[in-house]
Amino acid sequence: MAALCSVWLLLVCSKALADNVLDGGMLYPRETPTRELKELNGIWSFRADKSPQRDEGFQQQWYKRPLRETGPVIDMPVPASFNDITQDITLRDHIGWVWYEKEVWLPSRWVDDKTSSRVVLRVGSAHYFSIIWVNGVQVTQHEGGHLPFETNIATLLKSSVGAPCRITIAVNNTLTPNTLPPGSIQYMQDSQLYPKGYFVQNIAFDFFNYAGIHRPVVLYTTPPVYTDDITVITDIAGDTGFINYQISVLGSSSFSVSVTLHDQEGQEVATGSGAIGQLKVVDAKLWWPYLMHIDPGYLYSFQVKVSAETDLGDFEDIYTLPVGIRTVQVSGDQFLINGKPFYFHGVNKHEDYDVRGKGLDWPLIIKDFNLLKWLGANSFRTSHYPYAEEIMDLCDKYGIVVIDECPGVGIKEEESFGNKSLSHHLVVMEELVRRDKNRPSVVMWSVANEPASQLPLAGYYFKTVIAHTKALDPTRPVTYVSNANYERDHGAPYVDVICVNSYFSWYHDPGHLEVIQLQLNNQFERWHAMYNKPMIQSEYGADTIPGFHSDPPLMFTEEYQQIVLQNYHSVFDQKRGKFVIGELIWNFADFMTAQGTIRVVGNKKGIFTRQRQPKTSAFLLRDRYWKLANETGYLLKPPRTIYILDNQVPVKYSF
């Protein structure tokens, strides 16, 4: 691939960056020499509004005074879903508004008028619609779960020096035909069967609608003149790497910018100046996927320093962004990373675990990455919503390749393809691209999962969403995941990679293992003949109750899951190297769903249990993935070494 190293191409790149930088940045909050950070995680006061119209909190203005003065409150951990924290079944299934509150003392220097610092309140994600008040004054609101939002609250703090800061967040998990994901509220009118005002939330997706403040809430400071956003695009020419960058600075029109790139040993490898420019890295260490290189996930530190002279004095802001140098390209029937063919052998996941629901949990995150590496998985899809930034950071660090999916799941009804839904979908893609555009682990955007793409309205809808996403980020391919008939999928012409879900011998011809290979072969051949694009098997699998066994294999046993996978793998092996570029098992681990007659305490298609214990299929998949990794010719042996403390001395055991 030609490098973006000529002056003309650099100008073109800079113009593309300028044209596609979103209004307002969303840099991850980091402590630096010029920025401070205060985490607000922990116990918050909590109250669910269970009034018939779910509007008592607004009618009585609960945000005007401490929440405990409005009625009974309980302790609620943040981050966490609220659903499984108590023994109250009505709270587990609550639809409507819930209220969170926390009072915090801030350092006096944060509210000193002389500094004029910004103090930003940031919520990593709250599901689904949020309104925030500070000391009784509304400061922001946000529609959509799974993505961060923030607002500067410095002015309010300066007017209340000497008192704690009271933060109130109201969160509503109601889904409508125009939200993402969509849903509908159904009122039951038969008074002989249902109480007055009884309603249920209908959804068309197969995971539990966990709600609450799912990711960290923080306060952080910046100087009044600060780096608002950074956009980087990297390229390679031989052994040289290129980092094309654009930096957005707010707070003053008169400032200077300098950038410095450090390697992992802290050595300075390149410098630049100005808000738009290019760094040239000689003998660059590239960002490679896990198991594709002996040193995967290599990250440089891209430090931005802004200096400004203002009427209030001189200010400096420093922010450091991890940067991986790599390229991504779809070429014919291949997916190329750094110019070399990449085969996705990985998983689909959920942010889901006992008690905390979708709340961010560090022990679980690290456990999952250890399991991914043990498994030999080089990739996953963020099914079916963007995952926490903390998870994405580790993907960058470990070299785990990500298909980054928005919450476009359950788009089944015609109303959800209308202009109102489309407008919101475009905003969500803007927020997702803004958040993750600089991540080397993110190699493709997914704009939906299993939509009703056979509907005529879907053609214009997905043409628009995909074109908008490409305009925001012209460097990555765009896809969505289909389970429609290949002849009637109106959105497929617009994607770069065909992703298909199929469950032969499970949802189709359940129990008939003998049809899998025929049906899967026909699926691949027909899709490819019609669209001539590379394909990923983005879901396949079978529900399995751990400890259930049967020979011959029967549905729900570990043996049945194992033989389903083996039949799929046989066809994958025939097609990879041709036009099939990946396989992602459904699912990494069992997860919770809404109650129903086809779900026994959740979806059991995991190769690990919800508690992350392996089923038989995990070992089958592990052997396969390490074999696939070895076929690239780089490494490898699966990790079979452990260390056990013997009198406080680590002793190495290999097996």
Side-chain angles (χ1 to χ4, degrees):
M1 188 194 316
L4 300 180
C5 53
S6 71
V7 174
W8 179 78
L9 281 175
L10 175 57
L11 292 173
V12 170
C13 177
S14 298
K15 183 179 186 303
L17 289 168
D19 288 346
N20 293 297
V21 169
L22 302 171
D23 292 335
M26 192 59 66
L27 296 174
Y28 185 74
R30 304 180 191 278
E31 286 191 302
T32 76
T34 63
R35 298 182 176 213
E36 293 185 82
L37 185 144
K38 182 180 179 69
E39 291 190 354
L40 305 184
N41 301 335
I43 303 300
W44 288 52
S45 295
F46 176 89
R47 186 179 180 189
D49 186 343
K50 297 183 180 180
S51 62
Q53 301 301 319
R54 303 295 195 262
D55 63 349
E56 182 180 332
F58 291 95
Q59 295 296 330
Q60 298 184 4
Q61 299 181 321
W62 288 356
Y63 51 87
K64 288 283 190 178
R65 59 193 190 278
L67 192 62
R68 62 183 176 273
E69 296 180 4
T70 70
V73 298
I74 62 173
D75 290 340
M76 185 61 64
V78 170
S81 303
F82 63 73
N83 308 81
D84 292 343
I85 299 298
T86 75
Q87 309 310 111
D88 183 356
I89 193 172
T90 65
L91 182 59
R92 183 182 192 274
D93 297 321
H94 178 78
I95 301 297
W97 291 100
V98 297
W99 294 70
Y100 290 80
E101 182 187 87
K102 193 174 187 70
E103 293 185 346
V104 296
W105 285 96
L106 303 182
S108 58
R109 63 186 176 277
W110 284 22
V111 294
D112 184 350
D113 285 336
K114 294 179 181 178
T115 67
S116 298
S117 294
R118 298 169 68 245
V119 179
V120 181
L121 174 61
R122 189 183 200 269
V123 179
S125 79
H127 189 76
Y128 171 81
F129 185 89
S130 304
I131 304 175
I132 301 182
W133 296 263
V134 173
N135 297 331
V137 178
Q138 183 175 333
V139 293
T140 194
Q141 64 182 42
H142 181 259
E143 181 180 2
H146 315 293
L147 288 165
F149 56 99
E150 65 183 27
T151 186
N152 182 10
I153 63 171
T155 302
L156 282 172
L157 300 180
K158 295 180 190 304
S159 64
S160 58
V161 177
C165 174
R166 181 167 53 85
I167 299 169
T168 308
I169 305 178
V171 183
N172 192 323
N173 64 342
T174 305
L175 301 177
T176 74
N178 304 123
T179 58
L180 208 65
S184 63
I185 296 296
Q186 181 180 3
Y187 285 90
M188 304 302 190
Q189 305 295 346
D190 191 334
S191 61
Q192 296 186 42
L193 298 177
Y194 305 99
K196 183 180 180 181
Y198 189 84
F199 67 90
V200 294
Q201 169 80 77
N202 293 319
I203 55 176
F205 52 84
D206 188 29
F207 54 93
F208 190 74
N209 186 32
Y210 279 115
I213 301 176
H214 285 152
R215 295 174 191 161
V217 181
V218 301
L219 288 165
Y220 72 92
T221 67
T222 75
V225 182
Y226 62 99
T227 298
D228 178 63
D229 198 18
I230 303 170
T231 305
V232 297
I233 294 177
T234 64
D235 208 348
I236 306 163
D239 294 331
T240 302
F242 298 90
I243 300 174
N244 300 284
Y245 64 86
Q246 177 165 326
I247 298 161
S248 170
V249 178
L250 295 182
S252 175
S253 59
S254 178
F255 58 85
S256 63
V257 177
S258 63
V259 299
T260 307
L261 192 71
H262 295 92
D263 63 18
Q264 290 187 356
E265 285 70 46
Q267 299 298 312
E268 182 181 295
V269 296
T271 61
S273 61
I276 298 176
Q278 180 188 75
L279 299 183
K280 181 179 179 180
V281 185
V282 179
D283 295 326
K285 294 183 178 179
L286 304 185
W287 188 94
W288 287 102
Y290 177 54
L291 302 184
M292 198 173 177
H293 190 270
I294 194 68
D295 188 14
Y298 192 91
L299 296 173
Y300 289 90
S301 295
F302 182 84
Q303 184 187 82
V304 177
K305 182 181 292 186
V306 173
S307 300
E309 297 180 3
T310 73
D311 294 339
L312 296 173
D314 297 343
F315 296 100
E316 182 178 80
D317 186 32
I318 297 173
Y319 186 86
T320 301
L321 178 75
V323 171
I325 299 174
R326 65 102 180 95
T327 60
V328 171
Q329 182 186 16
V330 173
S331 178
D333 282 331
Q334 292 184 318
F335 194 98
L336 305 179
I337 296 180
N338 300 336
K340 295 188 177 182
F342 178 75
Y343 186 79
F344 296 79
H345 51 85
V347 301
N348 294 275
K349 292 180 90 276
H350 266 298
E351 290 181 310
D352 173 276
Y353 199 62
D354 292 334
V355 183
R356 75 272 293 155
K358 292 193 180 301
L360 182 135
D361 182 81
W362 274 115
L364 175 65
I365 290 171
I366 298 301
K367 178 66 173 179
D368 280 2
F369 275 98
N370 283 330
L371 288 175
L372 286 171
K373 291 191 288 184
W374 174 88
L375 193 64
N378 64 9
S379 53
F380 65 75
R381 174 169 63 117
T382 68
S383 48
H384 301 295
Y385 39 82
Y387 291 173
E389 291 159 284
E390 292 78 3
I391 293 175
M392 305 298 285
D393 281 346
L394 291 178
C395 290
D396 291 338
K397 179 180 180 180
Y398 296 145
I400 303 297
V401 170
V402 177
I403 300 172
D404 207 352
E405 190 163 272
C406 82
V409 59
I411 308 176
K412 301 295 187 182
E413 303 300 326
E414 286 194 2
E415 185 178 356
S416 296
F417 287 96
N419 289 336
K420 187 174 181 181
S421 295
L422 177 58
S423 296
H424 179 52
H425 203 147
L426 298 180
V427 171
V428 170
M429 292 311 302
E430 290 173 4
E431 292 184 350
L432 177 57
V433 172
R434 177 178 61 181
R435 194 194 78 166
D436 290 344
K437 62 187 173 182
N438 297 322
R439 296 190 176 279
S441 60
V442 174
V443 301
M444 186 156 51
W445 306 110
S446 173
V447 301
N449 176 77
E450 295 187 358
S453 51
Q454 74 280 1
L455 296 177
L457 288 170
Y460 173 78
Y461 187 94
F462 285 113
K463 179 181 180 181
T464 304
V465 174
I466 291 169
H468 185 65
T469 305
K470 285 178 172 291
L472 294 167
D473 175 20
T475 71
R476 290 178 177 87
V478 181
T479 189
Y480 69 80
V481 175
S482 178
N483 66 343
N485 183 283
Y486 72 99
E487 292 182 305
R488 297 194 294 273
D489 194 310
H490 293 284
Y494 308 109
V495 302
D496 297 301
V497 175
I498 300 289
C499 291
V500 178
N501 295 347
S502 59
Y503 290 91
F504 304 126
S505 85
W506 191 258
Y507 297 124
H508 308 285
D509 300 299
H512 293 279
L513 296 162
E514 66 276 6
V515 305
I516 294 176
Q517 294 193 35
L518 173 65
Q519 294 180 357
L520 187 57
N521 261 302
N522 284 333
Q523 167 200 279
F524 283 138
E525 293 297 335
R526 290 174 179 177
W527 275 95
H528 189 256
M530 187 157 190
Y531 298 105
N532 195 31
K533 296 177 181 179
M535 294 187 65
I536 295 175
Q537 183 72 40
S538 40
E539 289 183 25
Y540 71 104
D543 279 88
T544 304
I545 309 296
F548 276 32
H549 296 282
S550 174
D551 185 19
L554 297 177
M555 293 178 69
F556 292 98
T557 65
E558 296 196 42
E559 288 77 15
Y560 193 89
Q561 185 183 43
Q562 194 169 6
I563 200 167
V564 166
L565 268 56
Q566 288 171 328
N567 274 281
Y568 269 84
H569 296 164
S570 178
V571 179
F572 295 160
D573 287 341
Q574 298 171 38
K575 304 302 181 186
R576 63 187 174 89
K578 298 178 181 178
F579 56 84
V580 171
I581 61 168
E583 54 190 78
L584 303 177
I585 187 72
W586 188 269
N587 191 283
F588 173 73
D590 296 344
F591 57 92
M592 190 53 62
T593 65
Q595 297 183 74
T597 55
I598 65 168
R599 293 286 174 249
V600 183
V601 195
N603 188 305
K604 295 295 193 293
K605 291 188 181 68
I607 59 171
F608 298 99
T609 67
R610 199 181 190 206
Q611 294 72 36
R612 276 42 179 186
Q613 297 304 312
K615 303 176 187 177
T616 305
S617 55
F619 298 95
L620 170 72
L621 209 62
R622 181 176 189 259
D623 289 342
R624 174 172 178 80
Y625 283 177
W626 282 96
K627 179 182 177 183
L628 290 172
N630 273 304
E631 289 180 7
T632 65
Y634 285 99
L635 300 174
L636 298 160
K637 289 184 178 179
R640 295 181 182 273
T641 299
I642 61 174
Y643 290 85
I644 299 177
L645 286 178
D646 186 358
N647 291 325
Q648 303 305 311
V649 177
V651 178
K652 180 178 179 180
Y653 291 84
S654 297
F655 57 98

